[in-house]
Amino acid sequence: MMTDLPASTRIARATALFLVLVLFTVGSLPAAGQTFPGPMHWVAHFSVYALIAFVFALGWPQRSAVTIVILVAVIGVLQETSEIITHSHGFETADAVVDAFGSRIGVAIHRLMLMIFFGRSDPR
């Protein structure tokens, strides 16, 4: 039950869902692709998905790293797919790959912080 969860977990879950909503909302704007030109486009994708994956890992600590990475990578694929309609262009495979890589790094940072601060790699 949701109320049995620690407040920090509930906050992380709400934040993760909020970040995904913001991602889809901002990503659907026609000018979204021009916000970060050149190489900064990749940095933006990487950073956003690393952050989202990190917060998902905080919010669902009982889930494996692989599960979180796959979930957030699928969110990236769905977001890239939605741009076919909102931006009238084809699927950007490179963006989806960078999103997935950022997802992996976000979860890795979460696990690394667990080891550094709590002496364990398992979030449970």
Side-chain angles (χ1 to χ4, degrees):
M1 177 175 247
M2 184 79 152
T3 57
D4 296 340
L5 296 172
S8 59
T9 301
R10 291 193 312 265
I11 291 167
R13 286 183 178 189
T15 303
L17 297 175
F18 176 75
L19 288 172
V20 171
L21 288 173
V22 168
L23 172 72
F24 275 85
T25 301
V26 172
S28 70
L29 299 173
Q34 289 86 35
T35 305
F36 298 99
M40 289 308 294
H41 177 81
W42 306 112
V43 173
H45 272 269
F46 177 85
S47 301
V48 165
Y49 282 88
L51 174 64
I52 291 172
F54 180 84
V55 176
F56 264 88
L58 288 173
W60 283 270
Q62 74 281 12
R63 301 288 181 214
S64 71
V66 172
T67 301
I68 299 294
V69 170
I70 290 171
L71 173 67
V72 177
V74 167
I75 290 169
V77 169
L78 292 173
Q79 198 278 325
E80 291 301 325
T81 302
S82 75
E83 287 184 4
I84 294 170
I85 297 166
T86 60
H87 294 190
S88 299
H89 63 64
F91 186 83
E92 295 176 318
T93 304
D95 284 0
V97 169
V98 171
D99 298 345
F101 187 64
S103 301
R104 177 62 186 113
I105 297 302
V107 172
I109 291 169
H110 174 261
R111 297 306 198 254
L112 180 63
M113 289 179 71
L114 284 176
M115 287 183 353
I116 291 170
F117 295 112
F118 301 105
R120 58 191 167 94
S121 59
D122 183 2
R124 290 173 242 171

